[in-house]
Amino acid sequence: MSVTYIDAIRQAQLDLLREREDVFLYGQDIGAFGGAFKATKGLQEEFPERVLDSPISEDAMVGMAIGAAISGMRPIVEMQFADFSSVAFNQIVNQAGTHFYRTGIPVPLTVRMPCGGTPGSGPFHSQMVEALYGHYPGLVVIAPANVSDAYHLLKEAVLLDDPVIFCEHKFLYRWLKSDEIGEPGLSLGQARIARPGKHATVVTYSAMVHEAVRAADSLASEGWEIEVVDLRSVKPLDLDTVIASVARTGRLLALGEAFPWGGVTAEVVSRVVAEGFHLLDAPPLRLNAKDTPIPYHPDLWASHRPTPESIVEKLRELLNF
Amino acid sequence: MSVTYIDAIRQAQLDLLREREDVFLYGQDIGAFGGAFKATKGLQEEFPERVLDSPISEDAMVGMAIGAAISGMRPIVEMQFADFSSVAFNQIVNQAGTHFYRTGIPVPLTVRMPCGGTPGSGPFHSQMVEALYGHYPGLVVIAPANVSDAYHLLKEAVLLDDPVIFCEHKFLYRWLKSDEIGEPGLSLGQARIARPGKHATVVTYSAMVHEAVRAADSLASEGWEIEVVDLRSVKPLDLDTVIASVARTGRLLALGEAFPWGGVTAEVVSRVVAEGFHLLDAPPLRLNAKDTPIPYHPDLWASHRPTPESIVEKLRELLNF
Amino acid sequence: MSAPQIPVILSSSPSSAATIGRDLMRRTLRMMILSRTLESKLASLYKAGKIVGGVYLGTGQEAFSGSLGCLLDQDRDIFAPLIRDQAGRTAFGEELIDATRTHLGSAQGPMRGRDGNIHRGRPSERRPAMISHLGSAVSVVAGMLIARRMQGSLTGVVGATCVGDGATSTGAFHEGLNLAAVEKLPLVILVADNQFAYSTPRERQFACNSLLDRAAGYGVGGIEIDATSLVSCLTGIQTAVNAARSGNGPQMVVGRLLRLCGHGEHDDGSYVAPELKNSLLGRDCVENGKVELIELGYATAAEIESWQEEASEQVQEAVAIAQKENGPDPYCEDWRAVSTPGMQ
Amino acid sequence: MSAPQIPVILSSSPSSAATIGRDLMRRTLRMMILSRTLESKLASLYKAGKIVGGVYLGTGQEAFSGSLGCLLDQDRDIFAPLIRDQAGRTAFGEELIDATRTHLGSAQGPMRGRDGNIHRGRPSERRPAMISHLGSAVSVVAGMLIARRMQGSLTGVVGATCVGDGATSTGAFHEGLNLAAVEKLPLVILVADNQFAYSTPRERQFACNSLLDRAAGYGVGGIEIDATSLVSCLTGIQTAVNAARSGNGPQMVVGRLLRLCGHGEHDDGSYVAPELKNSLLGRDCVENGKVELIELGYATAAEIESWQEEASEQVQEAVAIAQKENGPDPYCEDWRAVSTPGMQ
Ligand SMILES: Cc1ncc(C[n+]2csc(CCOP(=O)(O)OP(=O)(O)O)c2C)c(N)n1
Ligand SMILES: Cc1ncc(C[n+]2csc(CCOP(=O)(O)OP(=O)(O)O)c2C)c(N)n1
Ligand SMILES: [Mg+2]
Ligand SMILES: [Mg+2]
């Protein structure tokens, strides 16, 4: 039997609903229908009172969940697509993100964000949102790259007393399989060495971890050993693990699938140079998606985001410095 | 006679309304009342048909302006405070920002954003938004630091065929005066050397330009000559001018008033290290606001954002490396 | 200002058919048939794995959408369609090839591979290209009308857009319609109350009896119609379009019907109860429209049959052309999101 | 489901006063006087340059807001005030010192200098701390109620919040109220139709006759009242609170009145036409409330005078305490935006 990334997300929600009475789910079509991606399939049947279909009202969905969260519940809100959280943006950053600082009362809210591109999804069903929410104070931003993290980080997210933006990658939903969910390993806030190496470090997260590993594999035939660091959460950002890796390799490529201006890769590079400048043997580089909306046609899409080929190219630039 | 920063903004709008029939203004209380900051005072009297009060509907205000912009008009939307653009976020990034790429039809829209902190304004009337909008494709993001730029950049913004996020700084509105608006100098997209120097470069924008100059002035007594670069627009970002400055000084401090995760300072540092690594004699540093909502009490507020003192401290760190 | 009157037309009569006229009815039915034919073809291409992206159909909504398209003036009105408006698009003058090209991934489609399928549009021909976020076109159409007012070219112009029952729950819908009402714009908004938003039934979406109850709260005119009947659609929408055109401000038309397909072609819609399908709401407006025309003596079965054949040929041709065309070449993309050089 | 009934109470009679009762009327007037006294003091402190941040008053809205505060149950209900709800806050149990501390910048205020003035709240005492973005508390209150439903403690609880006429144009208001209606929550929403949103008059804000016209569109109960009369406020709001408490879903109360101050104390409100000030809408509810009580024989002028004196003393004391306290010390700030260590 094998478990997919989306299975893990569903299982985490099921286990949370079973283990805790304060957890509930809210989102469009998540009830009997089981959600656009089936992340909540069958859950309403078992918990009719705690799995609720919402109207098409992202602002109110999040506002409602905030109200519930400060009243002793631990809501999980499913955005049908992360892109639609733009409508909930105000409630997320200004209501949830500021609440603890302002009032001293934390908001144990989790917003599940189906992120990232798949071929043919186009500009409004493909966006990454970690740069958006990472910028604002008061939010924890998670982006699991594998099945085990999808499960364990979601459980940690929901048990955390603070608001969490949980960035799931749609491309991984069914494509990524594992034999089992496995035991919890690292905890929230710790990055993971996804692939050890010694000539250069790629720091990335979410689906790009797999593309980076592919790129690393293909360079391995030439004798290059590339280390891949999976951030797991982009806020907090585990700089220690990143710096330790850069200390080993002397070279850094920050890789992400988001738009290229600002965001995770800029934050990683800036922190590394501020604290580990002397460790660097070459200019730290970045590779992101292109600076346009995400194109709908699969051929354009594949060129818009980083690919193993474009990662290899960037890595060569880095290694040849 | 002297002209303030807000006078310049009002004058630019008046001149645009007079010079062009396709310009109109839309926003809350901007008509007879002249706007919360009086940036449109008297304009409705002269142009009753082209200065319209809007309902409290930021999403629809921007959507409306987009519709008008693709129909031959050049709307200027005033957000009462930049912080409320969170409600218009979806229309700005997903409708205005994607339109040219998707359809080939540009959207000559300008959104005026009264940004930044003043004492006592608190978490929801003090935000900077350039990091937010800079991240998204399809938007031009401007942040003038002086009276002349407030005037000329606003005029350039409105005449540009693309959507512009025009970040005005409220702290400068009445505090910043000039003898005259002056002739246009640099054009949109070019950074300016606000203060020449040779020992370190501070790259910044908006109100922080003045704080940086103050910090530089106070270090001058110790013999340090600090160069201050005023970006003027953060997207596009004039890397050439920045790199040329860093080439002269060998040291970089990226300074901003926004939240510290991601944003302009991270983008500046990342680009400089990618393209000018060899120019650097010390690790490039960043200084931003603190990673909490902007506090309301003036004493907390003054510690939340960078001050001449905290800038001096960071510069010492940089200079002593 | 006195509250706008809210008539409800839930059934139609031959007398209302008379006010519509033979030509309009014939043209609308032809557009409905063309749309249905195109969409059936897209559905089979989807099943065959030939489509790029998703397929969202307007099956069962052709009378409602197509009537609007036929009642608008292609030379000056504005039409901002949503996901179930193939019939309205076609009736408002969109060529079939625009649809087949986007769905089949041709670079020659109106969106050049950058955006797809239902998002296609030609803003310069007064057909905005929708973004996915529901409700957000309402204010855009309002802005297109305000521009015309300022330019002195609003007289006689109507701007129309469509939403579903679910989209009425969005803040964007509310803000946009309210703004249009304040500006008393000639906006016609069709609300296709098709009983579901994706899988979500009406009672999880709103608590009023009829979405028409919302019109008064915006101070706009309104009408509710049986959208499974072509006569009722044309009559009701004509009333609304005329009211808007003659300066009475925004008009809302709530059409009661049932989505006769899945939310998208990936969805079998198994959550729709058989009783609902078998109810009057589940009546197929295309089949019913044929009966309506025949009963009124406006067309013969043979004529309708010939329209059907013509439609099939047109669709075949549009598919064939698009299928031969290449997709976009990523190496030729300039990856520019703003029009002005140097501004990115 | 049948459409909710929408009564309109625009005038009040002694008979409705009888159903309210002497004690409630007396308590409410006292709260109104206390609120007015506090706010007048804040206004003079503002003019004297002693206030940190802006000052937004509820002058003229004390009957409306205070009635709600008095009708709610302080031990279990929820009250999410907005910018003109000093009376409601006080009536719902907020101590004066909370207001003076925030306005005077004391670190001992409920927001510890991190947020100010009207944004203050104590969520753990069921008084959420508003953010500035209008309309966004509606859904939050809905969520607080849904939590209680899931926890089995909703019975008999009401959640109340207030908005102005301008805030009804926000998408947040619309989405929040619609959600509450779908969930049939015991939500009471007061709409203070005070003729202006900042400087913007009603006709630039909405096109319906009365904002009460919106209630039916949400499927919620509604009532419109003359909010310059205390009897009318208590009667109308009591009806709504009772309806919500007994399971009839959300209730909207539209109060017609005039803001008797500037938008904030920085604004002289010179855009308000004298005719409006002199109209019935411009009647001062506090002065009128005194007359109402006296006419009903519920209080004597001397008693009211003594309440006024008591209020002045209480306010003086709360100001004096806060004025002696220090502001927050930035060097002691931990600058933490999340509660869990290591998560920033
Ligand atoms: C703001 C927003 N949230 C969610 C979605 C995802 N979504 C697309 S269509 C749809 C259902 C729409 O229902 P309705 O408005 O009734 O239109 P119908 O599909 O029935 O024609 C949803 C939830 C969206 N497009 N926009
Ligand atoms: C979303 C949003 N946009 C703009 C503002 C700025 N603003 C604060 S109060 C106000 C007017 C509110 O008017 P109304 O709702 O009628 O309440 P009133 O002040 O009359 O009590 C405005 C525009 C805001 N707070 N939130
Ligand atoms: Mg529907
Ligand atoms: Mg008002």
Side-chain angles (χ1 to χ4, degrees):
Chain A
M1 220 207 69
S2 78
V3 191
T4 64
Y5 186 92
I6 190 88
D7 291 339
I9 288 165
R10 180 184 168 281
Q11 190 67 43
Q13 295 184 95
L14 175 59
D15 291 349
L16 282 160
L17 284 165
R18 284 185 180 161
E19 289 159 19
R20 304 192 53 118
E21 296 212 323
D22 54 2
V23 170
F24 76 97
L25 316 188
Y26 195 55
Q28 292 153 24
D29 306 293
I30 68 164
F33 190 63
F37 298 101
K38 304 295 163 210
T40 57
K41 195 172 174 199
L43 304 189
Q44 190 181 57
E45 224 173 304
E46 192 171 335
F47 302 99
E49 243 97 275
R50 289 195 282 140
V51 181
L52 301 182
D53 283 316
S54 77
I56 306 178
S57 303
E58 284 80 6
D59 181 278
M61 284 159 64
V62 172
M64 186 288 257
I66 292 167
I70 60 172
S71 303
M73 300 299 289
R74 295 184 177 272
I76 307 176
V77 173
E78 174 177 299
M79 289 286 145
Q80 199 154 79
F81 286 81
D83 316 52
F84 300 135
S85 78
S86 53
V87 179
F89 175 67
N90 181 57
Q91 292 281 7
I92 294 174
V93 306
N94 284 320
Q95 190 100 254
T98 68
H99 202 268
F100 174 71
Y101 180 72
R102 295 168 63 236
T103 67
I105 313 252
V107 181
L109 157 72
T110 301
V111 186
R112 287 186 39 238
M113 301 275 195
C115 292
T118 51
S121 293
F124 311 115
H125 291 76
S126 306
Q127 294 173 22
M128 305 291 286
V129 294
E130 63 287 340
L132 176 62
Y133 296 109
H135 179 65
Y136 283 82
L139 305 170
V140 169
V141 184
I142 297 179
N146 62 34
V147 173
S148 171
D149 277 350
Y151 178 87
H152 292 296
L153 285 175
L154 182 51
K155 288 195 78 175
E156 277 192 88
V158 175
L159 299 183
L160 200 75
D161 284 340
D162 297 296
V164 176
I165 306 301
F166 192 82
C167 303
E168 314 167 355
H169 201 295
K170 298 193 295 293
F171 194 75
L172 303 181
Y173 273 172
R174 294 179 192 286
W175 172 80
L176 199 69
K177 292 191 181 81
S178 183
D179 286 342
E180 46 160 22
I181 283 171
E183 289 305 303
L186 301 165
S187 52
L188 173 50
Q190 290 182 297
R192 176 179 71 96
I193 307 295
R195 185 188 194 282
K198 61 182 180 205
H199 297 120
T201 298
V202 181
V203 174
T204 189
Y205 56 96
S206 191
M208 278 295 141
V209 168
H210 306 279
E211 310 296 330
V213 167
R214 274 195 205 100
D217 288 346
S218 88
L219 282 170
S221 61
E222 299 171 31
W224 294 114
E225 298 176 31
I226 308 294
E227 181 146 305
V228 177
V229 176
D230 170 9
L231 289 173
R232 299 173 75 247
S233 67
V234 307
K235 194 173 186 180
L237 196 156
D238 180 1
L239 194 64
D240 290 349
T241 299
V242 171
I243 292 263
S245 173
V246 172
R248 284 191 290 276
T249 64
R251 283 175 159 78
L252 169 68
L253 171 63
L255 170 69
E257 188 180 336
F259 300 126
W261 194 102
V264 178
T265 59
E267 185 63 21
V268 166
V269 168
S270 306
R271 291 215 203 167
V272 167
V273 296
E275 303 199 12
F277 193 65
H278 57 289
L279 304 171
L280 289 161
D281 299 325
L285 298 180
R286 284 198 292 163
L287 184 61
N288 294 297
K290 296 224 157 53
D291 195 18
T292 70
I294 301 138
Y296 133 88
H297 195 285
D299 294 347
L300 294 181
W301 173 74
S303 295
H304 185 268
R305 73 201 286 257
T307 55
E309 295 70 40
S310 66
I311 300 167
V312 163
E313 202 179 310
K314 259 290 179 236
L315 279 170
R316 279 196 212 284
E317 195 184 319
L318 187 66
L319 293 163
N320 293 336
F321 184 85
Chain B
M1 217 210 67
S2 78
V3 192
T4 64
Y5 185 93
I6 189 89
D7 291 338
I9 288 166
R10 180 184 168 281
Q11 191 65 43
Q13 295 183 94
L14 175 59
D15 292 349
L16 283 160
L17 284 165
R18 283 185 180 159
E19 288 159 19
R20 303 193 54 118
E21 296 211 324
D22 55 1
V23 170
F24 77 98
L25 317 188
Y26 195 55
Q28 292 153 25
D29 305 293
I30 67 164
F33 189 64
F37 298 100
K38 303 294 165 212
T40 58
K41 198 175 174 193
L43 304 188
Q44 191 182 56
E45 226 172 303
E46 192 172 335
F47 302 98
E49 242 97 274
R50 288 195 283 140
V51 181
L52 301 181
D53 282 317
S54 77
I56 307 178
S57 303
E58 284 79 6
D59 181 278
M61 285 159 63
V62 173
M64 185 288 255
I66 292 167
I70 60 173
S71 302
M73 300 299 289
R74 293 182 179 275
I76 307 177
V77 173
E78 174 177 299
M79 288 286 144
Q80 199 154 79
F81 286 80
D83 316 51
F84 300 136
S85 77
S86 53
V87 179
F89 175 68
N90 181 56
Q91 292 282 6
I92 294 174
V93 306
N94 285 321
Q95 189 100 254
T98 67
H99 202 267
F100 173 72
Y101 180 73
R102 295 168 63 236
T103 67
I105 313 253
V107 181
L109 158 72
T110 301
V111 186
R112 288 186 39 240
M113 300 276 194
C115 292
T118 51
S121 294
F124 311 115
H125 290 76
S126 308
Q127 294 174 21
M128 305 290 285
V129 294
E130 64 286 341
L132 177 61
Y133 296 111
H135 180 64
Y136 283 81
L139 305 170
V140 170
V141 184
I142 297 181
N146 62 35
V147 173
S148 171
D149 278 351
Y151 179 87
H152 293 294
L153 285 174
L154 181 51
K155 287 195 78 174
E156 278 192 87
V158 175
L159 300 182
L160 200 76
D161 284 340
D162 297 296
V164 177
I165 305 301
F166 191 82
C167 303
E168 314 167 355
H169 202 294
K170 298 193 295 293
F171 194 74
L172 303 181
Y173 272 170
R174 296 181 190 284
W175 172 81
L176 199 68
K177 294 190 179 79
S178 184
D179 287 341
E180 46 158 23
I181 282 170
E183 290 305 302
L186 301 165
S187 53
L188 173 51
Q190 289 182 297
R192 175 178 73 95
I193 306 296
R195 185 189 195 283
K198 62 181 180 204
H199 296 121
T201 298
V202 181
V203 175
T204 188
Y205 56 97
S206 190
M208 279 294 140
V209 169
H210 306 279
E211 310 296 331
V213 168
R214 275 196 203 98
D217 287 348
S218 88
L219 281 170
S221 61
E222 299 171 30
W224 294 114
E225 297 176 32
I226 308 295
E227 179 147 305
V228 177
V229 177
D230 171 8
L231 288 173
R232 298 171 76 249
S233 68
V234 307
K235 192 172 186 183
L237 196 156
D238 179 2
L239 194 63
D240 289 348
T241 300
V242 172
I243 292 263
S245 174
V246 172
R248 284 191 290 277
T249 65
R251 283 174 159 76
L252 169 68
L253 171 63
L255 170 68
E257 189 180 335
F259 300 125
W261 194 103
V264 178
T265 59
E267 185 64 20
V268 166
V269 168
S270 306
R271 291 215 205 168
V272 168
V273 297
E275 303 198 13
F277 192 65
H278 57 289
L279 305 170
L280 290 161
D281 299 325
L285 298 181
R286 285 197 292 163
L287 184 60
N288 295 295
K290 296 224 157 53
D291 195 18
T292 70
I294 300 138
Y296 132 90
H297 195 286
D299 294 348
L300 294 181
W301 173 73
S303 294
H304 185 267
R305 73 200 286 257
T307 55
E309 296 70 41
S310 67
I311 299 168
V312 163
E313 202 179 309
K314 258 293 181 237
L315 278 170
R316 281 196 209 285
E317 194 184 318
L318 187 65
L319 293 162
N320 292 335
F321 184 86
Chain C
M1 198 196 309
S2 75
Q5 218 189 313
I6 302 180
V8 178
I9 305 188
L10 273 174
S11 63
S12 54
S13 62
S15 77
S16 46
T19 71
I20 306 165
R22 183 175 179 274
D23 287 356
L24 183 55
M25 283 215 30
R26 284 168 63 95
R27 193 169 102 72
T28 311
L29 183 61
R30 286 184 80 155
M31 291 301 149
M32 289 163 59
I33 289 171
L34 188 51
S35 171
R36 175 70 63 89
T37 309
L38 171 64
E39 291 201 332
S40 306
K41 182 67 187 174
L42 293 175
S44 25
L45 287 166
Y46 179 83
K47 281 187 199 80
K50 297 268 159 71
I51 297 281
V52 178
V55 171
Y56 295 82
L57 304 182
T59 321
Q61 308 195 182
E62 291 91 346
F64 195 50
S65 177
S67 293
L68 175 64
C70 283
L71 286 161
L72 294 175
D73 179 341
Q74 286 181 33
D75 294 326
R76 52 179 182 168
D77 287 342
I78 293 157
F79 178 47
L82 211 75
I83 62 179
R84 312 215 183 274
D85 287 311
Q86 183 58 56
R89 288 169 182 267
T90 305
F92 191 63
E94 187 191 74
E95 305 200 12
L96 293 187
I97 191 79
D98 274 13
T100 56
R101 278 177 166 151
T102 41
H103 281 88
L104 291 162
S106 156
Q108 294 180 57
M111 311 304 275
R112 299 158 298 157
R114 296 173 176 196
D115 203 349
N117 306 356
I118 44 169
H119 296 105
R120 72 186 182 276
R122 293 190 181 269
S124 51
E125 296 169 22
R126 290 158 285 99
R127 288 185 270 121
M130 62 170 269
I131 67 169
S132 294
H133 300 72
L134 294 168
S136 39
V138 180
S139 56
V140 172
V141 174
M144 295 176 79
L145 294 169
I146 284 183
R148 283 161 177 75
R149 193 176 69 196
M150 291 181 184
Q151 292 157 347
S153 58
L154 185 63
T155 315
V157 169
V158 162
T161 190
C162 305
V163 294
D165 43 292
T168 64
S169 302
T170 63
F173 165 84
H174 172 72
E175 293 193 359
L177 184 53
N178 184 60
L179 185 158
V182 166
E183 298 288 347
K184 220 169 192 268
L185 298 171
L187 176 82
V188 172
I189 185 156
L190 261 57
V191 179
D193 184 359
N194 66 4
Q195 314 306 311
F196 290 90
Y198 205 153
S199 74
T200 305
R202 298 164 93 242
E203 58 273 18
R204 292 295 305 163
Q205 197 71 239
F206 51 86
C208 52
N209 281 315
S210 158
L211 286 168
L212 184 61
D213 296 344
R214 300 211 161 159
Y218 294 104
V220 307
I223 197 170
E224 177 160 11
I225 61 175
D226 169 3
T228 67
S229 150
L230 176 54
V231 171
S232 145
C233 285
L234 281 169
T235 319
I237 299 172
Q238 190 165 53
T239 308
V241 169
N242 289 347
R245 209 182 293 286
S246 47
N248 293 330
Q251 305 292 320
M252 178 190 283
V253 185
V254 177
R256 298 194 57 186
L257 72 170
L258 184 66
R259 199 185 70 208
L260 298 183
C261 50
H263 172 61
E265 286 308 282
H266 56 277
D267 169 34
D268 62 8
S270 54
Y271 43 81
V272 180
E275 304 84 70
L276 209 48
K277 291 185 191 163
N278 297 330
S279 75
L280 258 182
L281 283 171
R283 185 164 71 164
D284 180 345
C285 65
V286 175
E287 290 314 313
N288 187 54
K290 294 178 186 170
V291 174
E292 287 175 283
L293 261 78
I294 292 170
E295 282 185 357
L296 285 162
Y298 284 176
T300 63
E303 269 181 308
I304 293 174
E305 183 58 33
S306 76
W307 297 345
Q308 179 62 65
E309 277 160 27
E310 232 176 275
S312 300
E313 274 163 40
Q314 284 176 269
V315 168
Q316 274 308 345
E317 195 188 353
V319 168
I321 294 174
Q323 265 179 332
K324 276 192 228 96
E325 291 169 355
N326 290 328
D329 179 354
Y331 300 100
C332 297
E333 268 287 314
D334 58 4
W335 302 111
R336 269 176 50 188
V338 292
S339 72
T340 319
M343 284 299 124
Q344 196 150 334
Chain D
M1 203 194 309
S2 76
Q5 217 188 316
I6 303 182
V8 178
I9 307 187
L10 273 174
S11 62
S12 53
S13 61
S15 76
S16 45
T19 71
I20 305 164
R22 183 176 179 275
D23 289 354
L24 183 57
M25 283 214 32
R26 284 167 63 94
R27 193 169 104 73
T28 310
L29 183 63
R30 288 184 77 155
M31 292 298 147
M32 289 164 59
I33 289 171
L34 188 51
S35 170
R36 175 70 63 89
T37 309
L38 171 65
E39 291 201 331
S40 307
K41 182 67 188 173
L42 293 175
S44 25
L45 287 166
Y46 179 84
K47 282 188 199 79
K50 297 269 161 67
I51 296 281
V52 179
V55 171
Y56 296 82
L57 305 181
T59 321
Q61 308 196 182
E62 291 90 345
F64 196 50
S65 178
S67 294
L68 176 63
C70 283
L71 287 161
L72 294 175
D73 180 341
Q74 286 181 33
D75 294 325
R76 53 180 180 169
D77 287 342
I78 294 157
F79 177 47
L82 213 74
I83 63 178
R84 311 215 184 273
D85 288 311
Q86 183 58 57
R89 288 170 184 267
T90 306
F92 191 64
E94 187 191 72
E95 306 199 11
L96 294 187
I97 191 78
D98 275 12
T100 56
R101 278 176 166 152
T102 41
H103 282 88
L104 291 162
S106 157
Q108 292 178 59
M111 311 304 275
R112 298 158 298 157
R114 296 175 176 193
D115 203 348
N117 305 355
I118 45 170
H119 295 106
R120 71 186 184 276
R122 293 190 181 269
S124 49
E125 296 169 22
R126 288 159 286 99
R127 288 185 271 121
M130 61 170 270
I131 67 169
S132 295
H133 300 72
L134 294 168
S136 41
V138 181
S139 56
V140 172
V141 175
M144 295 176 78
L145 294 168
I146 285 183
R148 283 162 177 75
R149 193 175 70 196
M150 289 179 184
Q151 292 156 346
S153 58
L154 185 63
T155 314
V157 170
V158 161
T161 190
C162 306
V163 294
D165 43 292
T168 64
S169 302
T170 64
F173 167 84
H174 172 74
E175 292 192 0
L177 184 52
N178 184 61
L179 185 159
V182 167
E183 297 289 347
K184 219 168 191 265
L185 297 171
L187 176 82
V188 172
I189 185 156
L190 259 58
V191 179
D193 183 0
N194 64 4
Q195 315 305 310
F196 290 91
Y198 207 151
S199 74
T200 305
R202 298 164 92 241
E203 57 274 20
R204 292 295 304 163
Q205 196 71 240
F206 50 86
C208 52
N209 282 313
S210 158
L211 285 168
L212 184 62
D213 295 345
R214 299 210 162 160
Y218 294 103
V220 307
I223 196 169
E224 177 160 12
I225 60 173
D226 169 3
T228 68
S229 151
L230 177 54
V231 172
S232 147
C233 285
L234 281 170
T235 319
I237 299 173
Q238 189 166 55
T239 308
V241 169
N242 289 346
R245 210 182 293 286
S246 48
N248 294 330
Q251 305 291 321
M252 179 190 283
V253 185
V254 176
R256 298 194 56 186
L257 73 170
L258 184 67
R259 198 186 69 207
L260 298 183
C261 49
H263 172 62
E265 284 310 280
H266 58 278
D267 170 33
D268 63 8
S270 55
Y271 43 82
V272 180
E275 305 84 70
L276 210 47
K277 291 185 192 163
N278 298 329
S279 76
L280 257 182
L281 282 171
R283 186 164 70 166
D284 180 344
C285 64
V286 175
E287 291 314 314
N288 188 55
K290 293 178 186 170
V291 174
E292 288 176 284
L293 260 78
I294 292 170
E295 281 185 356
L296 286 163
Y298 285 177
T300 64
E303 269 181 311
I304 293 173
E305 185 56 34
S306 76
W307 297 346
Q308 179 61 66
E309 277 159 28
E310 231 174 273
S312 301
E313 275 162 40
Q314 284 177 269
V315 167
Q316 276 308 347
E317 194 189 354
V319 168
I321 295 174
Q323 265 178 330
K324 279 192 229 96
E325 291 169 355
N326 291 326
D329 179 355
Y331 300 101
C332 297
E333 269 287 316
D334 58 2
W335 302 111
R336 267 175 54 189
V338 293
S339 71
T340 319
M343 284 299 122
Q344 197 149 333

